Amino acid sequence: MNRIRGPVLITLLSLVLPLVMAAGSVPYIFEKLGVVRFGVLTLVWGVFGYFSLFDFGIGKALTKRVAECEARSLEAAVATRAGLLLLLGLGVISGLIIAVCFPLLLDSGIIERSPEFFRSIAWLALGMPLLLAGTGLRGVLEGLGRFSPPALARVILGITTFGLPVPLLAVWPTLDVLVIGLVAGRALTIVTQGWACRGLLEMALRVRGTRAEIREILSFGSWMMVSNLVSPLMVYADRFVIAASSVASHLAYYTTPFELVTRLLVLPAAVTTVLFPMMAREQGADRHQVAGRLMVRGMLAMLLVLLPVVIAGSLFAGDFLAWWLSPEFAALAVGPTILLCWGVLFNSLAQFPFSYLQSMGKVRQIAVLHLLELPVYFMALPWFLERWGILGAAIAWVARVAFDLLALSALSAIMRFSGIRQRDD
């Protein structure tokens, strides 16, 4: 695991720094913009975040294909060309959708009719191709095993999202200037990431994408998209179920510790970002075994790191919440907090078989699993709420992520065993 330590630390820092910048700058941005304009800014942030996540899985597909084809650079160039063209096309379509939906927001009264808001949404629409192209370039670089440029891109985006508004608002306290800064930040990441893989991009300009390559990328990406749609539903939609239940008044006792403890998920995210292309790069008869060993070692390392944190969180959750918020809040939130700590541990470990299966191309199996989990979870959640109140929401979430860990681990074990049998035969 020594060879991944540096890339993991770089990736982790790039994920944590934007959170730190946000904690310091958001109160100032809110004060300068006011409630209405800050609300529109959060909408812009949400759109950028939503579309960077739901890129039809093409960014991840590019990571896998480039990692697999690294030794055959012509194939990597074909995959890069096909993937980036698809993402640019999706970016243009996304921008057009935003432009079409903007009048609907005006008519509904969600956004006021003002030149400032119009310019903000126009810049948002123009920035969509840059956003998705940047996602594709990050996928290419991670497939090549180059993690510093994507990490730099994340830091740039963090600065332009949370750091740049501080001096800008002191001079131009308008919303559209901040959106221009966001778009400029994405343009800068295109330049930095594109320069880092310029050799492959130059080759991609000279080749033509094949229909077979496009089909493979879309096939992988479409099943990835299913998981990308379903997973956030299971993470965030539960709070709407709680809000519609008899314990709606206790929602904060669940969502506050949830938002706190799930910040730990940046750790497995950093490690699996590095491990995924390494596992996809493995070739030959032993690829399942070699990639499987990387998965197991990653899980053990994560367990050693997070288990003491989870135990400490369980022991001192009440004292921390009482100090941080109030003894009254702690009395009702300590139970969900303890359960959610263990749920985060299960969810963190599940990221490793999840990445292993992705690297082996088994995205359909993952998507089907999540599609089966979704209705069961939301049918069971009201029963848990009725029986145990807000604590039941935490029990239901922990039970779901524990099942997810067991199911993904079982699928991974079957994959590895099948690989051994094929090799022996």
Side-chain angles (χ1 to χ4, degrees):
M1 300 297 286
N2 289 335
R3 57 176 171 157
I4 73 168
R5 188 175 301 163
V8 166
L9 288 175
I10 291 170
T11 304
L12 180 61
L13 285 174
S14 70
L15 293 170
V16 170
L17 282 175
L19 297 177
V20 175
M21 284 186 279
S25 64
V26 165
Y28 175 82
I29 297 171
F30 178 82
E31 179 184 350
K32 284 291 185 179
L33 288 179
V35 175
V36 175
R37 290 191 296 171
F38 182 77
V40 178
L41 179 61
T42 60
L43 177 65
V44 172
W45 287 345
V47 169
F48 271 134
Y50 180 89
F51 279 95
S52 64
L53 179 62
F54 302 122
D55 63 346
F56 283 88
I58 294 174
K60 199 79 168 186
L62 273 176
T63 300
K64 180 177 181 294
R65 289 296 295 137
V66 172
E68 290 172 340
C69 302
E70 184 184 10
R72 303 180 296 279
S73 55
L74 182 61
E75 293 182 33
V78 172
T80 298
R81 180 185 177 91
L84 291 180
L85 287 176
L86 285 170
L87 285 171
L88 283 172
L90 287 172
V92 172
I93 293 171
S94 301
L96 291 174
I97 291 173
I98 290 171
V100 169
C101 291
F102 177 64
L104 301 177
L105 294 176
L106 289 176
D107 295 339
S108 66
I110 296 175
I111 295 181
E112 295 180 5
R113 292 181 178 273
S114 74
E116 179 185 353
F117 289 166
F118 177 81
R119 291 192 299 268
S120 300
I121 301 301
W123 277 104
L124 173 63
L126 289 173
M128 296 312 300
L130 297 175
L131 169 70
L132 292 182
T135 302
L137 289 172
R138 184 178 70 222
V140 170
L141 286 164
E142 290 176 352
L144 292 171
R146 301 174 188 171
F147 299 97
S148 296
L152 175 62
R154 290 190 190 94
V155 173
I156 291 172
L157 293 180
I159 291 172
T160 55
T161 303
F162 302 113
L164 186 61
V166 174
L168 282 180
L169 287 174
V171 182
W172 299 289
T174 60
L175 176 64
D176 55 321
V177 171
L178 300 189
V179 180
I180 292 172
L182 289 173
V183 175
R186 275 145 183 85
L188 184 55
T189 64
I190 295 289
V191 174
T192 57
Q193 293 186 119
W195 179 258
C197 60
R198 59 191 180 278
L200 185 57
L201 290 181
E202 290 171 359
M203 186 178 296
L205 291 173
R206 297 194 297 267
V207 300
R208 297 188 63 180
T210 64
R211 291 184 179 181
E213 191 67 52
I214 292 173
R215 282 197 301 269
E216 183 168 350
I217 290 174
L218 285 177
S219 175
F220 183 95
S222 60
W223 286 111
M224 274 286 300
M225 186 67 176
V226 173
S227 290
N228 286 346
L229 286 169
V230 172
S231 294
L233 278 175
M234 291 191 286
V235 171
Y236 292 109
D238 55 357
R239 57 200 65 192
F240 295 101
V241 177
I242 298 170
S245 71
S246 59
V247 294
S249 60
H250 288 180
L251 177 62
Y253 301 117
Y254 173 78
T255 56
T256 303
F258 186 94
E259 293 298 329
L260 177 66
V261 300
T262 52
R263 299 303 176 192
L264 289 172
L265 292 175
V266 297
L267 290 171
V271 178
T272 53
T273 295
V274 177
L275 282 183
F276 173 73
M278 292 177 64
M279 291 188 286
R281 196 173 295 124
E282 295 298 332
Q283 301 293 329
D286 290 331
R287 65 191 300 256
H288 291 286
Q289 286 302 100
V290 176
R293 283 195 292 269
L294 287 172
M295 173 191 70
V296 172
R297 290 173 184 174
M299 292 180 74
L300 290 175
M302 190 56 52
L303 181 64
L304 290 174
V305 170
L306 281 184
L307 185 59
V309 177
V310 169
I311 292 174
S314 300
L315 292 174
F316 301 108
D319 295 333
F320 174 78
L321 291 171
W323 167 80
W324 186 40
L325 296 171
S326 71
E328 294 77 17
F329 186 93
L332 289 170
V334 64
T337 303
I338 293 172
L339 286 171
L340 291 171
C341 284
W342 290 96
V344 164
L345 176 63
F346 300 150
N347 203 5
S348 298
L349 296 177
Q351 302 309 309
F352 293 89
F354 179 80
S355 294
Y356 167 80
L357 290 168
Q358 283 183 329
S359 70
M360 297 295 113
K362 302 302 179 181
V363 286
R364 180 172 63 87
Q365 288 83 344
I366 298 173
V368 169
L369 172 63
H370 287 161
L371 286 172
L372 292 174
E373 286 181 13
L374 181 65
V376 174
Y377 177 56
F378 282 109
M379 285 190 294
L381 182 57
W383 183 83
F384 279 93
L385 288 170
E386 185 68 27
R387 190 171 182 85
W388 288 293
I390 204 66
L391 186 66
I395 295 172
W397 189 79
V398 173
R400 184 191 68 78
V401 295
F403 172 80
D404 201 49
L405 170 61
L406 292 173
L408 290 172
S409 298
L411 285 173
S412 300
I414 293 170
M415 280 290 300
R416 294 183 68 190
F417 179 71
S418 299
I420 294 173
R421 293 192 64 181
Q422 290 174 4
R423 181 196 62 187
D424 293 342
D425 292 343

